[in-house]
């Protein structure tokens, strides 16, 4: 006979099998709840165009679509009621401070109104951050449950306050993060051409990623260095051909 209050070996094995699945489901529910909160936050901030970085991206995209100047100053009074908030002596927002290739990538959003464009941008950013963090967790050596590890890393990313700020202001942060993860995975697998190409494309959007080119040279990863340069030139050349060579000089 089996004493009352104790589990049979079969029941114990069943629970041992079920417990990891329940843990994963619980983590998934926490993660989806956090994402829902981010979605609501993005919806609120989509109504406040004068308080974030995405406004500059969207105006530049609209100017590109309409054949205008992607670096034109943006009047503050067009988006913020100066009677309801102190804007000091400034009359314009800081202009778009990114290379023309960034505007080329964002150009399709210039066809949408600001609120719709902001929500599309935010959802893409959330997807990029979630997938990037999941891939980091799932590919860290020594993890017993790759799915659970990926979920934990995704949760950690989105409870990190700067991630919330990035979504509120419509910043770029989560997109480069995803691409950096891809470059990291490619590097680990010895795919130097892919790693260099991804980082070269990133450098065409944010110049500080050019620091990785110095890393390739220091580590004598010649394939990665060549791939970096080729992709950077291709992206910059494409932006010059489509947006205009003058935009490159304006950006400088």
């Amino acid at each position: 006979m089996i004493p009352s209050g104790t589990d049979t070996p079969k029941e114990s094995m069943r629970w041992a099998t079920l417990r990891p699945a329940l843990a994963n489901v619980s983590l998934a529910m926490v993660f989806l709840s956090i994402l829902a909160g981010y979605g609501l936050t993005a919806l609120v901030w989509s109504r406040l165009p004068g308080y974030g970085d995405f406004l500059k991206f969207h105006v530049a995209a609209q100017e590109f679509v309409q054949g205008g100047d992607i670096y034109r100053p943006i009047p503050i009074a067009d988006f913020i009621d100066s009677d309801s908030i102190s804007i000091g002596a400034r009359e314009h927002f800081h202009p778009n401070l990114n290379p023309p290739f960034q505007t080329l990538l964002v150009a399709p959003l210039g066809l949408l109104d600001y609120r719709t464009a902001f929500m599309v941008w935010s959802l893409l950013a959330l997807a990029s951050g979630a997938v990037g963090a999941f891939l980091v967790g799932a590919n860290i050596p020594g993890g017993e449950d790759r799915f659970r590890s990926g979920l934990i890393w995704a949760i950690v990313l989105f409870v990190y306050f700067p991630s919330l700020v990035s979504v509120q202001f419509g910043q770029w942060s989560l997109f480069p993060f995803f691409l950096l993860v891809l470059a990291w995975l490619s590097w680990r697998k010895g795919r130097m051409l892919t790693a260099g190409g991804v980082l070269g494309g990133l450098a065409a959007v944010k110049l500080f990623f050019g620091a990785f080119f110095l890393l390739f040279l220091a580590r004598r990863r010649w394939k990665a260095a060549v791939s970096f340069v080729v992709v950077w030139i291709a992206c910059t050349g494409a932006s010059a051909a489509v947006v205009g060579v003058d935009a490159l000089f304006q950006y400088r």
Side-chain angles (χ1 to χ4, degrees):
M1 295 182 62
I2 299 174
S4 176
T6 63
D7 294 332
T8 65
K10 184 180 293 185
E11 289 175 338
S12 298
M13 291 178 61
R14 184 181 305 164
W15 172 245
T17 303
L18 186 60
R19 183 167 51 188
L22 290 175
N24 289 342
V25 170
S26 299
L27 286 172
M29 292 178 64
V30 171
F31 175 61
L32 292 175
S33 298
I34 293 172
L35 281 188
Y38 267 78
L40 291 175
T41 299
L43 184 61
V44 171
W45 279 78
S46 70
R47 302 171 182 172
L48 304 170
Y51 297 90
D53 296 349
F54 182 72
L55 174 66
K56 291 86 170 177
F57 309 154
H58 189 244
V59 170
Q62 288 183 321
E63 288 293 317
F64 169 71
V65 170
Q66 298 168 6
D69 179 7
I70 66 173
Y71 292 112
R72 76 170 178 86
I74 306 171
I76 290 179
D78 290 355
F79 298 93
I80 296 180
D81 183 1
S82 59
D83 294 331
S84 62
I85 185 171
S86 175
I87 58 177
R90 292 176 54 201
E91 296 182 354
H92 298 86
F93 291 107
H94 290 297
N96 175 26
L97 299 178
N98 294 281
F101 185 63
Q102 186 254 33
T103 299
L104 184 60
L105 294 177
V106 181
L109 298 181
L111 300 172
L112 306 174
D113 64 274
Y114 179 84
R115 288 191 63 185
T116 303
F118 184 89
M119 289 305 299
V120 171
W121 177 264
S122 299
L123 293 175
L124 290 175
L126 290 174
S128 297
V131 175
F134 184 88
L135 289 175
V136 170
N139 286 278
I140 291 181
E144 294 183 1
D145 190 323
R146 298 179 62 185
F147 181 78
R148 186 186 310 169
S149 179
L151 279 178
I152 291 173
W153 274 76
I155 290 172
V156 168
L157 174 69
F158 287 114
V159 298
Y160 182 52
F161 181 69
S163 298
L164 178 62
V165 174
S166 174
V167 173
Q168 287 177 331
F169 289 170
Q171 296 174 339
W172 265 95
S173 309
L174 295 176
F175 295 103
F177 168 66
F178 169 69
L179 293 175
L180 279 173
V181 172
L182 294 185
W184 169 65
L185 292 175
S186 298
W187 178 283
R188 288 183 58 191
K189 295 177 181 179
R191 299 172 181 170
M192 295 295 109
L193 289 176
T194 302
V198 170
L199 292 169
L202 274 175
V205 176
K206 294 288 186 181
L207 291 181
F208 54 78
F209 285 107
F212 282 100
F213 178 70
L214 302 179
L215 173 65
F216 294 148
L217 295 181
R219 297 291 296 271
R220 298 182 179 181
R221 303 293 186 177
W222 309 124
K223 288 184 179 180
V226 170
S227 178
F228 181 102
V229 172
V230 169
V231 173
W232 183 84
I233 291 176
C235 293
T236 303
S239 63
V242 178
V243 183
V245 176
D246 291 344
L248 294 176
F249 290 100
Q250 283 182 284
Y251 173 69
R252 180 181 60 84

